[in-house]
Amino acid sequence: MKTIEFKVHTIQMGDVEDPDLFVAAPIYEWQQTEKGKYIMENSMPAPMWVRHVNHMTYGYEYTIKAYLTPEKLTYYRLKYE
């Protein structure tokens, strides 16, 4: 089955000692939204987050990527964007 990698959410995190620990709460809160529940149910494989250093703010940017079929991606973009 063909899936498309798509960026569905970003979170900006300040310069903290353990950014992976501090980003857990915002990711969980996003997962409880209607948009987050759709992604968690329909992404194959499961969504993943990627951490990048944000040199402009001396912090971090977390990007959540999902893997959706073309049909599910079309539905997502029409409903949630």
Side-chain angles (χ1 to χ4, degrees):
M1 181 184 311
K2 178 185 175 194
T3 59
I4 300 168
E5 182 179 311
F6 188 72
K7 180 170 68 171
V8 294
H9 192 65
T10 59
I11 300 169
Q12 299 293 326
M13 182 64 49
D15 184 23
V16 294
E17 188 171 319
D18 189 355
D20 295 345
L21 178 65
F22 281 89
V23 81
I27 289 175
Y28 177 77
E29 290 170 4
W30 173 80
Q31 287 176 338
Q32 302 313 307
T33 65
E34 183 182 356
K35 183 178 176 180
K37 287 178 183 178
Y38 178 81
I39 292 298
M40 296 305 291
E41 292 170 3
N42 293 293
S43 181
M44 292 293 166
M48 63 177 282
W49 57 263
V50 180
R51 179 183 60 211
H52 303 281
V53 175
N54 186 337
H55 296 288
M56 297 298 287
T57 62
Y58 300 105
Y60 302 93
E61 178 179 283
Y62 285 82
T63 303
I64 300 173
K65 296 181 179 181
Y67 304 90
L68 302 170
T69 62
E71 296 83 12
K72 293 187 186 282
L73 179 58
T74 300
Y75 178 84
Y76 171 82
R77 294 190 80 179
L78 288 173
K79 183 163 180 151
Y80 299 109
E81 288 188 350

